[in-house]
């Protein structure tokens, strides 16, 4: 599975990954733009509106019918934050020709649909359909408001908001309610025209088809895509360490408290931080899992994530309200253990094994691979999973310990109940 | 081992029943880096009443799930850590009907398989370790209490069923799990973790003979007799309760409506019924259905809308739900549309389209190792060969779907569960 990267048009690139182990082909078309408060809502709304219909299939029912005929091919709009970029576009899949009973070819029509969704939307007097804009605007506002529904993700998001206030990374990838509510069909149309002409378009294919066939299908599908000046993608800026930690406490009517802790990491040795974080809290073998959960029974989950492009670590856990200090102390104690080099040999072996398993498995999933490569492109890097793994496996205990010493408490966020403690 | 080739869907399976009655299946995936092993017992949240040594036993709600947590304990420590140290990604889940223990790994596969079979077949509990788990599972229960999706489902099942343990939450309650002791766990293990009640399914690039040899070496030589279970008296077709509403910290009203369907058959008819139910859902409210378009355009539903057909021990139901401002209008529209389709017949073109899409969907499912392993295990438990689905699928007719909708999706078989925002 050797990835190839090909320039198809001005500022349009294709990442082609040949693979014959999947039952389906995986396609993606993503516009990569800087994440900014002014445009986050517009970029989030746009693909939802475009997915309502094209000139040839002007409503959802006809579009879905076309997909049904392609043996249940799927197209879904997507909006992601990777580093400080916002990616918007479409993900598509279809069953590979090899498994169709009637010898149909699905790649060309599906790629064609992707091209139509982006280049030939339903227009009324030159404007994106006002009815579609209004309906998707309501849906997007509902989605923004529903952030409170899932408390686990809500607490993780609130931590990033507070910790990265003033940085693009603190913004939501789907925008904020006030700016979305203010979007008119005219404004969205103007944004659409500029965005598809100016943003970098990244295409992706993973499946059995030959490279020439895929190139030709995409070239045909996007032949009418307007292309203007070459935009520059800005790499993400590392999170600046805070002088003294901030503590934020919020209340909701919930049964379980959600504790989120954010740390800045002041080192350039990111490969060492990857290994350090794996030992600290990224697996069911890590210090957080074994101590906060298994030893002290304080929680069902306690885990840490390394945000490589921002050089930050965040920890998430769900606990009884009255165990706030206990859990916080234990998380701190486990970090100190890492800083003091206080671990057994097997912990490092296990972390290396887990990293190796994780990196190798990426190639077994076409969608994970897409997310990996798009993430690389959006953060201005060009690494392969093998290369990253090799670098991580070369990290020595000394480097792990120095990486841990570069970790500094930044922000504590606690979502607690209205009555505490729990009765 | 017997080898079977399924050319149409591109799968190859090796199969054997060991002298202890354990079924072993190996699904060959020569091009994948990862391999997985699923060790599955036919024992889930609904198996609360069963016979052991000729005596009926009643066990507390949540016990199968509690046992799943405690199985990882070994005399020498914890199998989760043993597997993780070997580079495996281990996990387990308990559903209404089964408990599955599994791992994925890209190296040391056979060592990991040995660990998996050992810890699941050899119980090791102490009163102290059982007591300690109360904290962890207690937090898992608190977490799901704050999760609207879980609450709305549990409430719906309580509405639909009066006697069936389908109405009992798989995790139990903080109260019910207090009654679990080391002895009850040993009893349940003895009854349900017998090789004759289990399936080992491996998916990946592995040597089938070696898998079978390891299973023979590690597991007991003899298997016991089938277990007698009691899922309660037969349910009437009417729901126990029509409606349940709960207030939570959510942004918008969510609804989940359920329709109590006829009890499921066994054998290949069960596989067939599952496909009919799934296709009936696509026809009734799938993305390309007239109902979906109409409700979406009226602003009554958004892309959270959807549902499915589900089969549990002794019961089956169809559910549909999502975010809405008018749950009762959407609920009534679904029931009316089902009866209209039954009365007027399903449009032939639409039926053919949905049929194609449904076939593609089943092929697509084979990308997931978990789907493959669990489908294989379910097939063994219920007496059918899952990979024979193309033939079973071709026997389904439009009349089957119309009949399914006519019988099951009616006003007198339905209940609705609501989660509403705090005022």
């Amino acid at each position: 599975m050797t990835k190839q990267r090909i320039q198809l048009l001005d500022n349009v690139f294709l990442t082609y990954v040949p693979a014959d182990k999947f039952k389906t082909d995986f396609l993606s078309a993503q516009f990569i733009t800087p994440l900014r408060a002014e445009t986050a809502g517009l970029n989030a709304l746009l693909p939802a509106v475009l997915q309502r219909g094209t000139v040839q299939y002007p409503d959802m029912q006809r579009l879905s019918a076309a997909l049904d005929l392609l043996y249940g091919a799927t197209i879904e709009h997507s909006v992601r934050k990777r580093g400080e970029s916002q990616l918007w576009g479409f993900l598509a899949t279809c069953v590979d020709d090899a498994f169709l009973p009637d010898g149909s070819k699905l790649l060309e029509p599906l790629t064609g649909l992707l091209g139509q969704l982006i280049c030939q939307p339903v227009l009324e007097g030159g404007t994106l359909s006002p009815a579609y804009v209004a309906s998707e605007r309501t849906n997007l506002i509902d989605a923004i408001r529903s952030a409170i529904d899932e408390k686990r993700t809500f607490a993780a998001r609130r931590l990033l908001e507070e910790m990265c206030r003033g940085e693009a990374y603190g913004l939501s990838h789907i925008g904020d309610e006030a700016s979305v509510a203010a979007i008119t069909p005219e404004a969205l149309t103007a944004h659409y025209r500029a965005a598809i002409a100016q943003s970098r378009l990244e295409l992706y294919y993973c499946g059995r088809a030959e490279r020439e066939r895929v190139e030709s299908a995409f070239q045909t599908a996007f032949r009418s895509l307007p292309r203007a000046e070459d935009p520059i993608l800005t790499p993400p800026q590392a999170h600046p360490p805070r002088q003294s930690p901030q503590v934020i406490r919020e209340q909701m009517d919930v049964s379980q408290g959600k504790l989120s802790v954010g740390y800045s990491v002041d080192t350039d040795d990111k490969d060492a931080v990857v290994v350090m974080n794996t030992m600290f809290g990224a697996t069911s073998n890590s210090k957080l899992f074994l101590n906060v959960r298994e030893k002290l029974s304080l929680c069902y989950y306690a885990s840490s994530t390394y945000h490589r492009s921002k050089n930050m670590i965040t920890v998430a856990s769900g606990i009884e309200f009255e165990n706030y200090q206990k859990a916080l102390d234990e998380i701190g104690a486990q970090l100190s253990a890492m800083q003091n080099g206080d671990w057994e040999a097997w912990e490092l072996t296990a972390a290396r094994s887990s990293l190796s398993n994780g990196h190798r498995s990426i190639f077994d999933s076409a969608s994970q691979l897409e997310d990996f490569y798009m993430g690389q492109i959006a953060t201005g890097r060009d690494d392969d999973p093998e290369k990253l793994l090799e670098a991580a496996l070369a990290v020595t205990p000394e480097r792990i310990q120095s990486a841990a010493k570069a970790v500094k408490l930044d922000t504590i966020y606690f979502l607690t109940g209205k009555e505490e403690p729990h009765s | 081992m017997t080898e079977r080739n399924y050319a149409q869907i591109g799968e190859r399976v090796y199969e054997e029943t060991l002298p202890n009655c354990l079924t072993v299946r190996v699904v060959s995936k020569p091009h994948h880096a990862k391999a997985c092993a699923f060790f599955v017992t036919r024992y889930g949240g609904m198996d609360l009443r069963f016979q052991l040594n000729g005596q009926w036993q009643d066990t507390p709600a949540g016990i199968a799930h509690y046992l799943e947590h405690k199985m990882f304990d070994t005399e020498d420590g914890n199998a989760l850590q043993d597997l993780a140290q070997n580079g495996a990604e281990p996990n387990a889940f308990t559903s209404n009907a089964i408990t599955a223990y599994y791992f994925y790994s890209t190296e040391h596969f056979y060592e990991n398989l040995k660990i998996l079979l050992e810890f699941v077949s050899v119980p090791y509990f102490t009163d102290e370790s059982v007591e300690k788990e109360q904290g962890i599972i207690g937090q898992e229960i608190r977490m799901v209490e704050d999760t609207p999706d879980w609450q709305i489902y549990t409430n719906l099942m309580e509405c639909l069923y009066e006697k069936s343990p389908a109405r009992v939450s798989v995790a139990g309650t903080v109260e019910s799990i207090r009654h679990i002791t080391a002895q009850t766990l040993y009893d349940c293990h003895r009854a349900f973790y017998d090789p004759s009640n289990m399936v080992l399914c491996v998916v990946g690039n592995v040597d089938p003979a070696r898998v079978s040899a390891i299973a023979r070496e590690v597991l007991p030589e003899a298997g016991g007799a089938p277990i007698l279970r009691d899922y309660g008296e037969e349910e009437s077709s009417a729901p126990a309760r029509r409606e349940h509403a709960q207030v939570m910290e959510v942004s918008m009203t969510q609804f989940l409506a359920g329709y109590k369907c006829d009890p499921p058959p066994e054998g290949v008819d069960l596989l067939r019924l599952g496909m009919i139910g799934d296709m009936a859902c696509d026809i009734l409210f799938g993305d390309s259905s007239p109902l979906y378009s109409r409700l979406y355009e009226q602003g009554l539903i958004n892309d959270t809308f959807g549902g499915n057909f589900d089969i549990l021990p002794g019961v089956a139901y169809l559910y549909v739900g999502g975010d809405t401002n008018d749950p009762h209008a959407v609920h009534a529209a679904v029931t009316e549309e089902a009866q209209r389709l039954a009365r007027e017949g399903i449009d032939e073109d639409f039926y053919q389209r949905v049929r194609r899409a449904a076939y593609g969907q089943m092929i697509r499912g084979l990308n997931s190792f978990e789907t493959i392993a669990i489908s294989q295990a379910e097939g063994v438990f219920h007496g059918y060969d899952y990979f024979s689905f193309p033939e079973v699928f071709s026997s389904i007719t439009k009349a089957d779907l119309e009949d399914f909708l006519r019988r099951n999706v009616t006003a007198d078989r339905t209940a609705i569960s609501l989660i509403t925002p705090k005022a």
Side-chain angles (χ1 to χ4, degrees), chain A residues 239-391:
Chain A
H239 172 69
R242 202 175 295 275
Q243 281 317 303
S244 55
Q246 57 171 341
V247 182
I248 287 130
R249 226 179 150 90
E250 288 180 335
Q251 289 191 326
M252 258 198 207
D253 190 3
V254 289
S255 346
Q256 185 181 62
K258 300 283 189 251
L259 176 61
S260 302
V261 189
Y263 301 88
S264 61
V265 187
D266 190 14
T267 171
D268 293 330
D269 191 359
K270 295 188 172 184
D271 296 316
V273 185
V274 168
V275 185
M276 196 291 294
N277 178 61
T278 307
M279 294 169 73
F280 174 52
T283 71
S284 57
N285 217 3
S286 63
K287 288 197 176 289
L288 291 185
F289 188 92
L290 292 182
N291 291 286
V292 186
R293 170 173 150 142
E294 295 291 307
K295 197 167 134 209
L296 300 182
S297 301
L298 287 174
C299 62
Y300 172 65
Y301 69 94
S303 65
S304 68
T305 307
Y306 178 38
H307 307 246
R308 187 176 178 126
S309 68
K310 291 294 290 174
N311 231 0
M312 296 164 27
I313 286 175
T314 56
V315 169
S317 185
I319 54 173
E320 288 287 338
F321 308 131
E322 72 264 26
N323 285 335
Y324 168 78
Q325 197 57 47
K326 227 189 211 171
L328 198 58
D329 290 348
E330 189 58 25
I331 294 167
Q334 295 311 318
L335 179 61
S336 303
M338 291 305 303
Q339 291 168 336
N340 297 331
D342 182 8
W343 65 75
E344 290 173 38
W346 69 261
E347 295 182 75
L348 178 54
T349 314
R352 285 176 175 157
S353 280
S354 157
L355 285 167
S356 134
N357 191 41
H359 283 80
R360 287 185 185 138
S361 303
I362 292 179
F363 290 103
D364 287 341
S365 159
S367 64
Q368 269 189 47
L369 207 53
E370 188 268 354
D371 194 48
F372 176 84
Y373 285 129
M374 290 295 175
Q376 290 283 308
I377 294 161
T379 52
R381 293 186 297 150
D382 184 21
D383 286 321
D384 275 306
E386 298 102 322
K387 239 196 281 174
L388 286 175
L389 175 61
E390 203 181 307

Side-chain angles (χ1 to χ4, degrees), chain B residues 7 45 63 72 87 98 127 137 161 235 246 251 266 284 368 383 405:
Chain B
I63 188 151
F72 285 93
I98 61 170
D127 284 327
I137 297 180
Y161 296 105
E235 289 271 341
Q246 182 180 347
S251 60
E266 282 292 294
L284 179 55
S368 156
L405 292 171

Side-chain angles (χ1 to χ4, degrees), chain A residues 149-297:
Chain A
D149 295 2
E150 295 302 328
K151 310 299 180 275
R152 194 168 164 169
T153 45
F154 175 74
R157 223 195 54 149
R158 284 287 298 122
L159 172 72
L160 289 186
E161 251 171 33
E162 293 295 341
M163 183 167 170
C164 300
R165 199 167 278 286
E167 299 167 65
Y169 203 64
L171 297 171
S172 161
H173 67 293
I174 57 170
D176 64 278
E177 187 174 338
S179 4
V180 171
I183 297 175
T184 61
E186 291 71 26
L188 190 66
T189 308
H191 181 73
Y192 161 72
R193 296 198 190 284
I196 64 160
Q198 290 164 12
S199 306
R200 160 88 68 88
L201 175 60
E202 287 285 343
L203 304 169
Y204 170 90
Y205 172 86
C206 179
R208 293 177 186 228
E210 297 292 323
R211 192 183 114 179
E212 291 69 27
R213 186 179 161 203
V214 177
E215 273 184 47
S216 144
F218 273 119
Q219 246 152 4
T220 310
F222 288 95
R223 65 184 179 280
S224 65
L225 184 78
R227 291 281 80 190
E229 82 243 45
D230 190 2
I232 295 156
L233 294 177
T234 42
Q237 302 296 306
H239 172 69
R242 202 175 295 275
Q243 281 317 303
S244 55
Q246 57 171 341
V247 182
I248 287 130
R249 226 179 150 90
E250 288 180 335
Q251 289 191 326
M252 258 198 207
D253 190 3
V254 289
S255 346
Q256 185 181 62
K258 300 283 189 251
L259 176 61
S260 302
V261 189
Y263 301 88
S264 61
V265 187
D266 190 14
T267 171
D268 293 330
D269 191 359
K270 295 188 172 184
D271 296 316
V273 185
V274 168
V275 185
M276 196 291 294
N277 178 61
T278 307
M279 294 169 73
F280 174 52
T283 71
S284 57
N285 217 3
S286 63
K287 288 197 176 289
L288 291 185
F289 188 92
L290 292 182
N291 291 286
V292 186
R293 170 173 150 142
E294 295 291 307
K295 197 167 134 209
L296 300 182
S297 301

Side-chain angles (χ1 to χ4, degrees), chain B residues 241-282:
Chain B
R241 203 177 147 182
R242 290 277 164 196
E243 181 167 336
H244 184 288
Q246 182 180 347
V247 176
M248 286 182 82
E249 290 262 15
V250 294
S251 60
M252 187 171 176
T253 298
Q254 303 176 13
F255 85 102
L256 189 66
Y259 296 84
K260 248 172 130 166
C261 302
D262 292 336
E266 282 292 294
V268 75
D269 288 343
L270 183 67
L271 177 62
R272 195 166 182 275
L273 174 68
M275 291 180 196
I276 292 174
D278 287 348
M279 260 204 282
C281 290
D282 294 339

Side-chain angles (χ1 to χ4, degrees), chain A residues 18-92:
Chain A
D20 58 6
K21 58 182 159 182
F22 304 116
K23 294 284 192 283
T24 48
D25 294 358
F26 193 101
L27 292 79
S28 170
Q30 302 291 319
F31 289 97
I32 308 204
T33 65
L35 178 59
R36 284 201 298 257
E38 313 85 76
T39 49
L42 287 161
N43 286 331
L45 182 57
L46 192 48
V49 170
L50 296 181
Q51 199 170 358
R52 290 298 293 271
T54 68
V55 173
Q56 190 182 355
Y57 304 106
D59 56 49
M60 290 168 71
Q61 203 178 341
R62 275 180 270 196
L63 193 59
S64 302
L67 289 166
D68 280 353
L69 281 176
L70 302 178
Y71 284 90
T74 63
I75 295 186
E76 277 167 22
H77 66 270
S78 70
V79 186
R80 280 176 278 185
K81 168 166 77 174
R82 289 293 174 269
E84 294 186 322
S85 295
Q86 188 182 17
L87 283 63
W88 68 267
F90 298 92
L91 302 170

